[in-house]
Amino acid sequence: MADPVLPSSGVLSPLGLDAVRPAPGFWGDRIALNREVTIAHCQEWMEREGWIGNFRGERPRRGREFSDSEIYKLLEAMAWADHPALPELAQTVARAQEGDGYLNTRWSGSRYTDFEWGHELYCYGHLIQAGVARLRTHGEDVLTEVAVRAADHVCRRFMTTTETCGHPEIEMALVELYRATGAERYLEMARRFVDRRGLPALGEIPFGRAYFQDDVPLRQAQAFRGHAVRALYLACGAVDVAVETGDEDLLKAVEGQWERTVARRTHLTGGMGSRHADESFGDDYELPPDRAYSETCAGIASIMLSHRLLLATGDVRHADLAERTLYNVLATGLALDGRSFFYANPLRVRVPAVPVEGVNHSAEGGLRSPWFAVSCCPSNIARTLASLPAYVAAADRDGVRVHHHTPGEIRHGGLALRVETGYPWHGAVTVTVLEDGEGRIALRVPAWAAGTEATFAHHGVVRPVAPGYAEADGPWRAGDELRLELPMRARWTFPDRRVDALRGTAAVERGPLVYCAESVADEPPLGDLAAAVEPPREHVVDGAVELEVRARLGVPDGGGWPYAAAPGEAPDGQEAALRLVPYHRWGNRGPATMRVWLPV
């Protein structure tokens, strides 16, 4: 099956790219844009920056110590997208591999001398995932051979040591290779890598051992901490190991960490990571909007983890978080033209960014750039969009569960379905049965739909539904229809009082989308304002729904001193209509200021 995650057990079984065929729509359009534009854009920049030339032996070597991984993520994207450029690029990589399977353009000649920062095993992880993608979509070829040889080298070199990598990633890659080949050594190697971390296995660094989750063993941790991408990749690998070895305690440990992190360390967008200094999680309720790092790669890692936990447990909460992160982090990270990207995704930008020609050497939020000095996000977006159909639906013993509402066709067992919807702009989801068949059809009712009078119609019966699943059983005849109606109304959202940075503010959401105020060029600044908590007005602009709220702009100061002995009165100022755009669309009109959380 063509799927990035294929567990051998779990409550749900994934449906791969061969079972889910997207049609034009919110995600179908982005998947097509990725194949036609973004993948080639990434390859062009990797050539321009010399990262692919490193595999040809061009000197001096260019790029950071982990730049090899970007070529591997690009290869994975090409594999899922059946891209014609893959064979030539795979041959270039293959020619650089050494006789014993070692492959790294930075550390050849000084192997494994810097486990904290060298990223050698991290790079292997992405190479192995590319190989698995190629194996599942095409079969054995040069790329799969390179990946297997590298994995075998890792097993020979590390099976009996206590070493591991400063950046988790290889753990989930090795489990997936085990699932694809049946070779037990890969699963055992992954298990040992997971168990070694936190003993400790790595040296001291200025950020502290928590930066790479080496402060305590994984089973003892209470929440995700340290570098956000590292923490989430490690959690993915741990879930994979737990599922394949039947380790319920390990799975429960990760579930507990996920729950606390979602409750206390996750931004409204689903973004994770509050600190710019070390790209890390903050403490509980440390969620500042302007200093939110919320790296695109961390959002992708969160989606990967949510998907794994959904398959393992069947708990619909994981699909809810995945949806939030898909629409408000993954979709935000890529510009509408498919050729520029956000690295960080703050929830407030105070000063418009200064456009950069060529490579952007800063990861700060506020400017979509065609390439970064550290360009982990563009290739990560490319591989995620290329494999995204595999996240749409899953199967259980009774039938099919549709988790992400997007137009297309789904086929599994005795069910053949066509999904039609204008989601996320419109809340109607129509499923048409294409062939006579049996089985249960379940459509996810998102958590955001609580209290919206959502309804589900099938077999001539209309009934209200609550968040969870709207389900109907066959038998089915070709032409039968099911219709889920999710009323789309803008709503105000208020933060937990313990989030210090957000007291006195509110945000606006509509369906799965977070909205923001954006100010470009000569539009009014967003610093001094107070929004009225009233139902927003809706406008359709270029096919997207924008909102308008009443606000006071240019609020005067309180006499030169911003503190008082009693709460202040409602501010004066000029009343105006404040335009709100979907957060994922901000930054497409040029440098701008932006804020999600509005003083009220």
Side-chain angles (χ1 to χ4, degrees):
M1 182 186 296
D3 197 298
V5 183
L6 275 179
S8 62
S9 64
V11 174
L12 301 178
S13 300
L15 299 184
L17 277 66
D18 42 0
V20 180
R21 299 296 176 90
F26 188 95
W27 289 116
D29 293 348
R30 284 162 172 78
I31 291 168
L33 181 70
N34 181 58
R35 188 182 190 281
E36 296 163 7
V37 175
T38 305
I39 288 175
H41 175 90
C42 290
Q43 184 175 13
E44 176 186 342
W45 274 93
M46 290 179 192
E47 284 284 12
R48 184 183 305 186
E49 291 302 297
W51 300 357
I52 294 176
N54 293 334
F55 288 88
R56 303 188 188 102
E58 296 173 5
R59 292 292 180 264
R61 184 191 181 277
R62 298 170 63 186
R64 293 289 300 273
E65 62 274 15
F66 42 74
S67 65
D68 288 4
S69 68
E70 311 313 335
I71 283 76
Y72 302 150
K73 282 186 281 184
L74 178 61
L75 282 167
E76 183 184 349
M78 289 176 171
W80 295 127
D82 191 23
H83 200 279
L86 184 148
E88 182 178 352
L89 183 57
Q91 287 287 353
T92 299
V93 168
R95 285 190 286 268
Q97 190 168 34
E98 298 182 32
D100 65 349
Y102 182 87
L103 177 55
N104 192 284
T105 68
R106 167 62 179 86
W107 298 103
S108 181
S110 55
R111 301 179 180 186
Y112 308 121
T113 54
D114 188 351
F115 284 106
E116 288 72 31
W117 302 109
H119 289 77
E120 283 161 285
L121 294 172
Y122 167 81
C123 289
Y124 284 138
H126 283 300
L127 172 61
I128 293 166
Q129 286 179 315
V132 170
R134 185 63 167 170
L135 189 62
R136 288 176 175 163
T137 56
H138 175 82
E140 294 182 3
D141 69 355
V142 63
L143 179 56
T144 66
E145 292 170 3
V146 169
V148 168
R149 291 178 65 204
D152 288 342
H153 163 78
V154 169
C155 291
R156 290 193 302 270
R157 171 63 177 77
F158 292 97
M159 189 68 78
T160 59
T161 75
T162 59
E163 300 156 320
T164 192
C165 184
H167 199 312
E169 215 289 332
I170 194 171
E171 297 84 357
M172 56 178 157
L174 285 169
V175 175
E176 220 56 57
L177 186 59
Y178 156 73
R179 290 167 172 167
T181 66
E184 294 278 351
R185 61 186 177 277
Y186 304 135
L187 175 60
E188 177 61 17
M189 188 73 262
R191 185 191 67 79
R192 295 188 185 195
F193 278 143
V194 168
D195 285 345
R196 285 172 193 172
R197 196 169 297 270
L199 294 180
L202 296 158
E204 292 283 358
I205 61 168
F207 291 139
R209 293 187 186 279
Y211 175 80
F212 32 55
Q213 299 73 52
D214 197 41
D215 51 334
V216 296
L218 189 148
R219 298 167 191 269
Q220 298 176 19
Q222 300 302 305
F224 300 142
R225 71 239 177 268
H227 187 275
V229 179
R230 285 170 163 85
L232 292 163
Y233 278 176
L234 178 63
C236 286
V239 171
D240 289 338
V241 168
V243 167
E244 296 305 323
T245 61
D247 192 334
E248 291 293 330
D249 290 339
L250 179 57
L251 181 60
K252 288 179 180 178
V254 177
E255 284 188 273
Q257 294 162 28
W258 181 90
E259 289 174 353
R260 179 166 173 174
T261 301
V262 171
R264 304 184 182 195
R265 301 184 178 191
T266 301
H267 293 281
L268 181 65
T269 56
M272 294 187 179
S274 296
R275 296 179 178 175
H276 284 231
D278 49 358
E279 300 184 316
S280 73
F281 288 96
D283 294 331
D284 287 352
Y285 304 108
E286 182 186 343
L287 296 165
D290 49 348
R291 296 303 292 168
Y293 200 68
S294 186
E295 184 184 343
T296 297
C297 283
I300 290 170
S302 174
I303 293 164
M304 294 165 62
L305 177 59
S306 293
H307 183 59
R308 284 166 164 79
L309 288 171
L310 175 65
L311 296 176
T313 68
D315 191 331
V316 74
R317 296 179 303 163
H318 300 301
D320 285 329
L321 182 64
E323 177 184 77
R324 178 174 293 275
T325 315
L326 282 164
Y327 282 103
N328 301 296
V329 180
L330 177 63
T332 309
L334 181 66
L336 296 177
D337 66 359
R339 292 185 173 88
S340 59
F341 313 87
F342 277 146
Y343 187 108
N345 296 280
L347 278 69
R348 183 175 184 184
V349 173
R350 296 174 184 268
V351 179
V354 178
V356 176
E357 294 293 333
V359 177
N360 186 354
H361 291 272
S362 172
E364 298 289 311
L367 180 68
R368 282 195 174 91
S369 299
W371 207 246
F372 298 91
V374 176
S375 269
C376 48
C377 298
S379 55
N380 221 355
I381 291 171
R383 70 171 182 145
T384 304
L385 285 174
S387 60
L388 193 60
Y391 292 78
V392 168
D396 59 18
R397 62 184 181 182
D398 298 316
V400 168
R401 298 191 194 184
V402 180
H403 291 113
H404 301 293
H405 304 307
T406 187
E409 291 190 5
I410 301 171
R411 293 178 180 270
H412 173 73
L415 291 172
L417 312 174
R418 181 173 65 244
V419 180
E420 297 172 288
T421 181
Y423 200 86
W425 312 117
H426 307 287
V429 182
T430 300
V431 176
T432 303
V433 178
L434 300 177
E435 301 170 3
D436 294 357
E438 300 281 346
R440 177 174 297 169
I441 301 171
L443 307 181
R444 183 176 64 90
V445 181
W448 63 256
T452 64
E453 299 178 350
T455 61
F456 183 50
H458 63 94
H459 294 135
V461 177
V462 181
R463 58 185 173 88
V465 287
Y469 290 101
E471 302 178 343
D473 290 309
W476 303 100
R477 302 297 298 270
D480 284 350
E481 284 190 356
L482 305 87
R483 187 174 177 88
L484 177 64
E485 290 279 359
L486 302 170
M488 289 284 189
R489 289 190 291 270
R491 62 193 184 277
W492 288 90
T493 299
F494 299 87
D496 189 297
R497 293 169 59 87
R498 290 168 288 188
V499 184
D500 297 330
L502 300 179
R503 290 196 194 107
T505 67
V508 179
E509 299 179 85
R510 183 181 184 274
L513 302 180
V514 173
Y515 277 71
C516 66
E518 178 188 37
S519 177
V520 301
D522 296 329
E523 295 178 349
L526 299 174
D528 295 330
L529 66 85
V533 183
E534 299 172 351
R537 297 178 62 185
E538 297 187 2
H539 305 280
V540 177
V541 180
D542 296 331
V545 176
E546 295 186 355
L547 304 175
E548 181 183 295
V549 298
R550 187 169 60 85
R552 292 188 180 275
L553 304 181
V555 176
D557 61 40
W561 186 240
Y563 311 102
E569 298 294 326
D572 295 322
Q574 180 181 358
E575 187 165 312
L578 184 63
R579 175 193 183 196
L580 303 181
V581 301
Y583 177 75
H584 74 262
R585 293 176 70 94
W586 95 271
N588 279 282
R589 299 186 295 153
T593 58
M594 177 275 296
R595 63 189 308 167
V596 167
W597 293 100
L598 308 175
V600 297

